[in-house]
Amino acid sequence: MSLANRPDSSPSSPPDASPDLLSFFALVKSWFVRYYDHLIPLVGINVGWFLACGALPYWLLRDKIILADGRWNPWVAVPLLAWVLSATLAAARGVFLLLNEGVLVWDAFRTGWLGFWWKASLLFLIWGGVLFLGLYNLYFYIHWNPWGRFVEWIFCGTIVWFLAFWAACFLFLWPVLLFQKPPFFKIFYKAFLLVLESPFESMAFLLLYLALFLLFCLVPAGWILLGFVFFFSFQCMLLEKRLLRYKITYQDKDYEDFLAFLARENQRDWKYFLKPWEMK
């Protein structure tokens, strides 16, 4: 079964998207254009996210409010987790609306917020729980395996590949929820198919994310100015390009009009970004 009910090829069906619009270069160009067009609000969202999810937890840890005498204080840790998750989901919703609707207004933001919050939180908790169980099993087979080195390598290799695949699925979970609003468990199904469709490409993006994560840790300014907004905006653009292969657009926008919009976006000259005052 395919990811979507793709229209049959016929003289009356809309043309397929040009490979130029689906290439990695086009993905980067579309991301850069939309990020540039909404630079100030996106940077503002990320600074707010950084203060809520970075500065506050750091202050609580520094003053030993969360972790005192080597023990977690659940009365602080659990509300803090809910706070960080809520701030991250608010940032994700804001980024998605800016990239796909071109504007961020309160009415659009709050509409369906509670349902989105519950679904997105459960998606993250389930994904994180499975990831933790996978890592625990990996630790178990490395330290308490009674069946010998060969079996250990077989089990560990299988678990590592599963964890890599499962981690790649997270690239699409929240974007699919915002893009299509499918039933809850169908979100995992769609994310699974999206990774399965292009597994090597998905793994490459996962490695790219890991490298940028480490870079931001070495250069903390990256977390303040780019951080979560950079990662999630790229995930949204990646999903858009993947679904475009199946002629699926956000809010069922006219397919041919959307292709024309992407073509104009892809043709914007780089001079516009370097010297916008010289462009008419």
Side-chain angles (χ1 to χ4, degrees):
M1 185 176 180
S2 63
L3 182 66
N5 296 323
R6 184 174 181 173
D8 295 331
S9 298
S10 66
S12 60
S13 64
D16 291 334
S18 166
D20 293 338
L21 297 179
L22 300 177
S23 66
F24 176 77
F25 176 81
L27 168 64
V28 174
K29 184 71 174 287
S30 292
W31 170 82
F32 186 84
V33 168
R34 294 188 210 180
Y35 204 101
Y36 179 88
D37 287 344
H38 305 288
L39 181 63
I40 293 177
L42 286 174
V43 171
I45 289 174
N46 196 77
V47 171
W49 169 84
F50 177 79
L51 293 174
C53 302
L56 178 61
Y58 172 77
W59 173 72
L60 293 174
L61 282 170
R62 185 195 64 183
D63 290 357
K64 299 182 179 180
I65 297 175
I66 301 178
L67 189 64
D69 299 327
R71 295 182 179 181
W72 287 96
N73 182 353
W75 299 104
V76 178
V78 173
L80 180 64
L81 174 62
W83 164 260
V84 169
L85 189 56
S86 298
T88 302
L89 293 177
R93 193 170 177 87
V95 170
F96 182 85
L97 291 173
L98 280 172
L99 293 181
N100 289 277
E101 299 187 12
V103 65
L104 178 58
V105 294
W106 174 245
D107 287 342
F109 180 86
R110 69 180 178 85
T111 301
W113 164 254
L114 187 60
F116 165 71
W117 187 90
W118 278 110
K119 283 187 176 182
S121 299
L122 286 174
L123 285 172
F124 175 76
L125 292 175
I126 292 174
W127 177 85
V130 172
L131 190 68
F132 172 79
L133 288 176
L135 291 172
Y136 179 80
N137 276 275
L138 187 64
Y139 178 83
F140 172 82
Y141 284 117
I142 290 175
H143 290 84
W144 294 303
N145 171 35
W147 299 300
R149 183 68 64 180
F150 178 75
V151 175
E152 176 185 324
W153 280 104
I154 294 295
F155 277 110
C156 290
T158 303
I159 293 172
V160 167
W161 274 110
F162 168 78
L163 289 175
F165 194 91
W166 185 250
C169 285
F170 189 71
L171 294 174
F172 301 105
L173 290 179
W174 286 355
V176 164
L177 173 59
L178 287 163
F179 200 96
Q180 293 186 302
K181 301 180 178 66
F184 182 76
F185 287 105
K186 205 166 185 179
I187 298 172
F188 285 105
Y189 172 70
K190 287 176 177 286
F192 176 83
L193 289 183
L194 286 164
V195 175
L196 192 63
E197 176 203 22
S198 302
F200 295 107
E201 184 183 65
S202 298
M203 294 301 168
F205 277 109
L206 188 64
L207 291 175
L208 174 64
Y209 270 41
L210 179 59
L212 290 173
F213 178 87
L214 295 175
L215 177 63
F216 288 172
C217 290
L218 294 174
V219 185
W223 283 118
I224 300 173
L225 299 176
L226 295 171
F228 172 77
V229 168
F230 167 81
F231 288 111
F232 191 73
S233 61
F234 211 85
Q235 289 173 232
C236 292
M237 298 309 302
L238 177 60
L239 176 67
E240 178 183 280
K241 298 296 184 184
R242 289 282 183 90
L243 294 183
L244 199 62
R245 301 173 186 175
Y246 299 94
K247 301 182 180 179
I248 301 173
T249 58
Y250 176 60
Q251 293 183 337
D252 295 324
K253 295 176 182 176
D254 183 82
Y255 180 71
E256 294 188 57
D257 289 346
F258 189 64
L259 288 184
F261 165 78
L262 290 178
R264 292 193 301 271
E265 193 174 64
N266 199 37
Q267 290 169 359
R268 283 173 66 173
D269 198 302
W270 289 105
K271 292 180 181 179
Y272 176 86
F273 309 108
L274 299 175
K275 298 180 180 180
W277 57 87
E278 294 184 2
M279 304 301 294
K280 296 183 179 179

